[in-house]
Amino acid sequence: LSYMQYVADRAGKIILECLNEGLRTDYKPDGTVVTNADLRVRDFVQESFQKEFYDCGLLTEESRDKKERLQRDKIIIVDEIDGTSSFREGGKDYSFQCAYVEDGIPMIGVINEPHKGRMFTAIRGGKAYLIKDGERGELPSLDKVTLAEVKAGHHRNNGFHQYRRLYEALGIQRDRILMTGSMGTRMLQTAMQETHLILGLTRQLKEWDIAAGHVILEALGVSVTDLYSGELIYNKPNPITERGIL
Protein backbone atom coordinates (compact mmCIF):
# COMPACT_ATOMS: atom_id res chain seq x y z
CA LEU A 1 0.00 0.00 0.00
CA SER A 2 2.74 2.49 0.89
CA TYR A 3 4.44 2.06 -2.48
CA MET A 4 1.14 2.40 -4.31
CA GLN A 5 0.53 5.64 -2.39
CA TYR A 6 3.96 6.88 -3.46
CA VAL A 7 3.21 6.08 -7.10
CA ALA A 8 -0.22 7.75 -6.86
CA ASP A 9 1.27 10.86 -5.27
CA ARG A 10 4.00 11.16 -7.90
CA ALA A 11 1.52 10.49 -10.71
CA GLY A 12 -0.64 13.31 -9.35
CA LYS A 13 2.31 15.68 -9.43
CA ILE A 14 3.04 14.72 -13.06
CA ILE A 15 -0.58 15.40 -13.98
CA LEU A 16 -0.51 18.87 -12.42
CA GLU A 17 2.87 19.63 -14.01
CA CYS A 18 1.48 18.83 -17.46
CA LEU A 19 -1.60 20.90 -16.74
CA ASN A 20 0.52 23.91 -15.77
CA GLU A 21 2.88 23.51 -18.72
CA GLY A 22 0.06 23.13 -21.24
CA LEU A 23 -1.73 20.02 -22.42
CA ARG A 24 -1.25 18.37 -25.77
CA THR A 25 -4.00 16.06 -26.96
CA ASP A 26 -4.37 13.31 -29.49
CA TYR A 27 -6.90 10.60 -30.30
CA LYS A 28 -6.51 6.87 -29.85
CA PRO A 29 -7.70 4.39 -32.50
CA ASP A 30 -11.00 3.98 -30.65
CA GLY A 31 -11.65 7.72 -30.92
CA THR A 32 -11.10 8.54 -27.25
CA VAL A 33 -8.85 11.36 -26.10
CA VAL A 34 -5.34 10.92 -24.74
CA THR A 35 -3.09 13.71 -23.44
CA ASN A 36 0.62 14.08 -22.85
CA ALA A 37 -0.20 13.80 -19.13
CA ASP A 38 -1.71 10.33 -19.65
CA LEU A 39 1.40 9.22 -21.49
CA ARG A 40 3.89 10.66 -18.99
CA VAL A 41 2.05 8.96 -16.14
CA ARG A 42 1.97 5.72 -18.16
CA ASP A 43 5.74 5.76 -18.58
CA PHE A 44 6.27 6.48 -14.88
CA VAL A 45 3.86 3.72 -13.82
CA GLN A 46 5.47 1.14 -16.09
CA GLU A 47 8.95 1.93 -14.80
CA SER A 48 7.87 2.03 -11.15
CA PHE A 49 5.82 -1.13 -10.92
CA GLN A 50 7.93 -3.26 -13.22
CA LYS A 51 10.92 -2.45 -11.01
CA GLU A 52 9.31 -3.00 -7.62
CA PHE A 53 6.64 -5.58 -8.51
CA TYR A 54 8.38 -7.57 -11.23
CA ASP A 55 6.38 -10.68 -10.29
CA CYS A 56 3.04 -8.92 -10.97
CA GLY A 57 1.27 -8.41 -14.24
CA LEU A 58 0.39 -4.86 -15.26
CA LEU A 59 -2.76 -3.62 -16.98
CA THR A 60 -3.22 0.08 -17.67
CA GLU A 61 -5.49 2.09 -19.93
CA GLU A 62 -2.68 3.62 -21.98
CA SER A 63 -0.33 0.63 -22.23
CA ARG A 64 -0.36 -2.16 -24.76
CA ASP A 65 -2.21 -5.07 -23.19
CA LYS A 66 0.35 -7.80 -22.63
CA LYS A 67 -1.62 -11.01 -22.40
CA GLU A 68 1.13 -12.56 -20.31
CA ARG A 69 -0.70 -10.92 -17.39
CA LEU A 70 -3.27 -13.72 -17.69
CA GLN A 71 -0.61 -16.15 -16.47
CA ARG A 72 -0.09 -14.11 -13.29
CA ASP A 73 -2.03 -14.55 -10.07
CA LYS A 74 -1.14 -10.99 -9.06
CA ILE A 75 -1.65 -7.88 -11.16
CA ILE A 76 -1.56 -4.10 -10.85
CA ILE A 77 -4.42 -2.29 -12.65
CA VAL A 78 -4.00 1.43 -13.37
CA ASP A 79 -6.00 4.20 -14.96
CA GLU A 80 -3.47 6.95 -15.63
CA ILE A 81 -6.20 9.60 -15.76
CA ASP A 82 -9.77 8.51 -15.22
CA GLY A 83 -11.87 11.23 -16.81
CA THR A 84 -9.41 12.42 -19.45
CA SER A 85 -12.11 14.34 -21.34
CA SER A 86 -13.06 16.31 -18.24
CA PHE A 87 -9.38 16.88 -17.47
CA ARG A 88 -8.67 18.18 -20.97
CA GLU A 89 -11.66 20.54 -20.80
CA GLY A 90 -10.62 22.03 -17.47
CA GLY A 91 -13.15 20.06 -15.41
CA LYS A 92 -12.64 18.58 -11.97
CA ASP A 93 -13.89 15.03 -12.58
CA TYR A 94 -10.61 13.19 -12.96
CA SER A 95 -8.22 11.10 -10.89
CA PHE A 96 -5.35 8.64 -10.89
CA GLN A 97 -6.48 5.13 -9.96
CA CYS A 98 -4.45 2.11 -8.96
CA ALA A 99 -5.49 -1.34 -7.70
CA TYR A 100 -3.67 -4.49 -6.65
CA VAL A 101 -5.52 -7.68 -7.61
CA GLU A 102 -4.97 -11.29 -6.53
CA ASP A 103 -6.70 -14.21 -8.23
CA GLY A 104 -9.21 -11.86 -9.85
CA ILE A 105 -10.14 -10.11 -6.58
CA PRO A 106 -9.16 -6.46 -5.94
CA MET A 107 -7.23 -6.31 -2.65
CA ILE A 108 -5.84 -2.75 -2.46
CA GLY A 109 -7.27 0.42 -3.96
CA VAL A 110 -5.76 3.91 -4.22
CA ILE A 111 -7.35 6.92 -5.90
CA ASN A 112 -5.60 10.29 -6.04
CA GLU A 113 -7.37 13.54 -6.95
CA PRO A 114 -4.32 15.81 -7.15
CA HIS A 115 -6.27 18.97 -8.02
CA LYS A 116 -8.30 18.50 -4.83
CA GLY A 117 -5.27 17.58 -2.73
CA ARG A 118 -6.75 14.33 -1.51
CA MET A 119 -6.10 10.62 -1.78
CA PHE A 120 -8.33 7.65 -0.87
CA THR A 121 -6.96 4.25 0.12
CA ALA A 122 -8.33 0.91 1.30
CA ILE A 123 -7.31 -2.71 1.81
CA ARG A 124 -9.84 -5.48 1.33
CA GLY A 125 -11.28 -6.49 4.67
CA GLY A 126 -9.99 -3.32 6.31
CA LYS A 127 -10.98 0.32 6.61
CA ALA A 128 -11.04 3.09 4.01
CA TYR A 129 -8.97 6.22 4.57
CA LEU A 130 -8.75 9.78 3.28
CA ILE A 131 -5.36 11.50 3.15
CA LYS A 132 -5.55 15.28 2.91
CA ASP A 133 -3.06 18.00 3.88
CA GLY A 134 -0.72 15.32 5.16
CA GLU A 135 -3.30 13.95 7.57
CA ARG A 136 -4.70 10.42 7.29
CA GLY A 137 -8.19 9.85 8.64
CA GLU A 138 -10.56 6.92 8.58
CA LEU A 139 -13.64 7.48 6.45
CA PRO A 140 -16.78 7.24 8.58
CA SER A 141 -19.27 4.44 8.16
CA LEU A 142 -22.01 5.28 5.69
CA ASP A 143 -25.32 6.48 7.06
CA LYS A 144 -28.44 4.49 6.32
CA VAL A 145 -30.89 6.28 4.03
CA THR A 146 -34.41 5.57 2.90
CA LEU A 147 -35.22 5.01 -0.76
CA ALA A 148 -36.87 8.44 -0.77
CA GLU A 149 -33.47 9.96 0.15
CA VAL A 150 -31.28 8.03 -2.26
CA LYS A 151 -29.13 10.07 -4.65
CA ALA A 152 -27.62 8.48 -7.75
CA GLY A 153 -24.42 9.24 -9.62
CA HIS A 154 -24.66 9.29 -13.40
CA HIS A 155 -22.22 9.92 -16.27
CA ARG A 156 -23.00 13.23 -17.92
CA ASN A 157 -22.22 11.86 -21.38
CA ASN A 158 -24.06 8.56 -21.02
CA GLY A 159 -27.55 8.69 -22.59
CA PHE A 160 -29.81 9.53 -19.66
CA HIS A 161 -32.92 8.33 -21.50
CA GLN A 162 -31.70 4.73 -21.20
CA TYR A 163 -31.92 4.99 -17.43
CA ARG A 164 -35.00 7.14 -17.02
CA ARG A 165 -37.43 4.27 -16.39
CA LEU A 166 -35.06 2.64 -13.92
CA TYR A 167 -34.71 5.81 -11.91
CA GLU A 168 -38.45 6.39 -12.04
CA ALA A 169 -39.11 2.83 -10.86
CA LEU A 170 -36.80 3.45 -7.92
CA GLY A 171 -38.49 6.77 -7.17
CA ILE A 172 -35.32 8.75 -7.81
CA GLN A 173 -36.24 12.17 -9.16
CA ARG A 174 -34.03 14.11 -11.55
CA ASP A 175 -32.96 16.53 -8.82
CA ARG A 176 -31.44 13.60 -6.92
CA ILE A 177 -29.18 12.54 -9.79
CA LEU A 178 -25.65 13.99 -9.82
CA MET A 179 -23.92 14.17 -13.19
CA THR A 180 -20.14 13.69 -13.35
CA GLY A 181 -17.53 12.96 -15.97
CA SER A 182 -15.83 9.84 -14.62
CA MET A 183 -16.58 6.61 -12.79
CA GLY A 184 -13.84 7.31 -10.26
CA THR A 185 -15.56 10.56 -9.29
CA ARG A 186 -18.89 8.80 -8.92
CA MET A 187 -17.42 6.10 -6.71
CA LEU A 188 -15.77 8.70 -4.49
CA GLN A 189 -19.04 10.62 -4.26
CA THR A 190 -20.55 7.49 -2.77
CA ALA A 191 -17.58 7.09 -0.42
CA MET A 192 -18.15 10.68 0.76
CA GLN A 193 -21.91 10.07 1.12
CA GLU A 194 -22.80 12.56 -1.60
CA THR A 195 -24.56 9.77 -3.53
CA HIS A 196 -25.76 6.29 -2.63
CA LEU A 197 -26.22 4.44 -5.91
CA ILE A 198 -24.44 3.98 -9.25
CA LEU A 199 -26.14 2.18 -12.13
CA GLY A 200 -24.12 1.24 -15.19
CA LEU A 201 -25.86 -0.55 -18.03
CA THR A 202 -22.88 -0.07 -20.31
CA ARG A 203 -20.53 -2.85 -21.32
CA GLN A 204 -17.83 -0.30 -22.06
CA LEU A 205 -16.50 0.19 -18.53
CA LYS A 206 -12.99 -1.18 -18.21
CA GLU A 207 -11.44 -2.85 -15.21
CA TRP A 208 -9.18 0.16 -14.64
CA ASP A 209 -12.26 2.38 -14.30
CA ILE A 210 -13.57 0.56 -11.23
CA ALA A 211 -10.97 -1.71 -9.55
CA ALA A 212 -9.60 0.84 -7.07
CA GLY A 213 -13.00 2.29 -6.23
CA HIS A 214 -14.33 -1.24 -5.78
CA VAL A 215 -11.97 -1.82 -2.83
CA ILE A 216 -12.68 1.57 -1.26
CA LEU A 217 -16.46 1.19 -1.42
CA GLU A 218 -16.47 -2.38 -0.13
CA ALA A 219 -14.36 -1.24 2.82
CA LEU A 220 -17.22 1.12 3.62
CA GLY A 221 -19.79 -1.65 3.39
CA VAL A 222 -21.06 -0.81 -0.09
CA SER A 223 -21.99 -3.68 -2.39
CA VAL A 224 -20.17 -3.55 -5.75
CA THR A 225 -21.50 -6.13 -8.23
CA ASP A 226 -22.69 -6.47 -11.78
CA LEU A 227 -26.32 -5.59 -12.54
CA TYR A 228 -27.39 -9.12 -11.68
CA SER A 229 -25.66 -9.14 -8.27
CA GLY A 230 -22.84 -11.24 -9.69
CA GLU A 231 -19.27 -10.94 -8.51
CA LEU A 232 -16.98 -8.69 -10.53
CA ILE A 233 -13.84 -10.59 -11.56
CA TYR A 234 -10.68 -8.80 -12.69
CA ASN A 235 -7.78 -9.64 -14.97
CA LYS A 236 -10.03 -11.15 -17.61
CA PRO A 237 -8.83 -11.65 -21.21
CA ASN A 238 -11.19 -8.87 -22.29
CA PRO A 239 -11.08 -6.44 -19.33
CA ILE A 240 -14.57 -4.97 -19.56
CA THR A 241 -17.73 -5.07 -17.43
CA GLU A 242 -19.79 -7.36 -19.65
CA ARG A 243 -22.82 -7.28 -17.33
CA GLY A 244 -22.75 -3.66 -16.20
CA ILE A 245 -22.19 -2.45 -12.66
CA LEU A 246 -24.36 -1.75 -9.61
Side-chain angles (χ1 to χ4, degrees), residues 105-116:
I105 307 300
M107 305 300 293
I108 303 174
V110 177
I111 300 180
N112 184 20
E113 295 182 303
H115 53 301
K116 297 179 182 178

Side-chain angles (χ1 to χ4, degrees), residues 64-214:
R64 182 174 63 84
D65 186 1
K66 298 180 180 179
K67 296 302 182 180
E68 66 180 11
R69 64 179 171 81
L70 300 174
Q71 308 305 316
R72 307 290 182 97
D73 296 329
K74 304 172 183 178
I75 183 172
I76 303 291
I77 299 179
V78 172
D79 194 342
E80 290 88 349
I81 301 180
D82 180 53
T84 297
S85 294
S86 176
F87 172 65
R88 181 192 64 166
E89 295 166 1
K92 303 299 182 183
D93 299 341
Y94 66 90
S95 61
F96 171 85
Q97 302 194 58
C98 180
Y100 168 71
V101 172
E102 282 188 7
D103 297 319
I105 307 300
M107 305 300 293
I108 303 174
V110 177
I111 300 180
N112 184 20
E113 295 182 303
H115 53 301
K116 297 179 182 178
R118 64 184 190 179
M119 185 185 302
F120 297 77
T121 71
I123 296 177
R124 184 179 179 85
K127 303 291 186 179
Y129 294 89
L130 169 63
I131 302 171
K132 187 173 177 63
D133 299 325
E135 299 292 328
R136 178 175 179 265
E138 181 182 329
L139 287 174
S141 300
L142 302 183
D143 298 329
K144 292 183 178 180
V145 296
T146 66
L147 189 57
E149 299 172 305
V150 167
K151 295 181 180 179
H154 190 86
H155 197 301
R156 65 167 54 95
N157 296 325
N158 195 350
F160 182 74
H161 65 281
Q162 302 176 35
Y163 296 79
R164 189 183 304 279
R165 290 185 179 179
L166 275 174
Y167 288 134
E168 289 176 351
L170 292 170
I172 301 175
Q173 303 300 318
R174 181 65 181 80
D175 61 354
R176 287 191 282 125
I177 300 173
L178 278 65
M179 299 291 194
T180 63
S182 76
M183 176 55 78
T185 298
R186 290 192 291 287
M187 295 181 104
L188 293 183
Q189 284 177 332
T190 300
M192 297 298 287
Q193 306 191 55
E194 296 168 9
T195 62
H196 315 96
L197 172 71
I198 302 170
L199 287 172
L201 302 180
T202 179
R203 295 181 178 181
Q204 298 306 312
L205 279 173
K206 306 298 193 300
E207 292 181 7
W208 49 75
D209 293 318
I210 59 176
H214 186 154

Side-chain angles (χ1 to χ4, degrees), residues 228-239:
Y228 305 92
S229 299
E231 184 178 18
L232 293 173
I233 300 299
Y234 295 81
N235 195 26
K236 302 189 300 297
N238 187 9

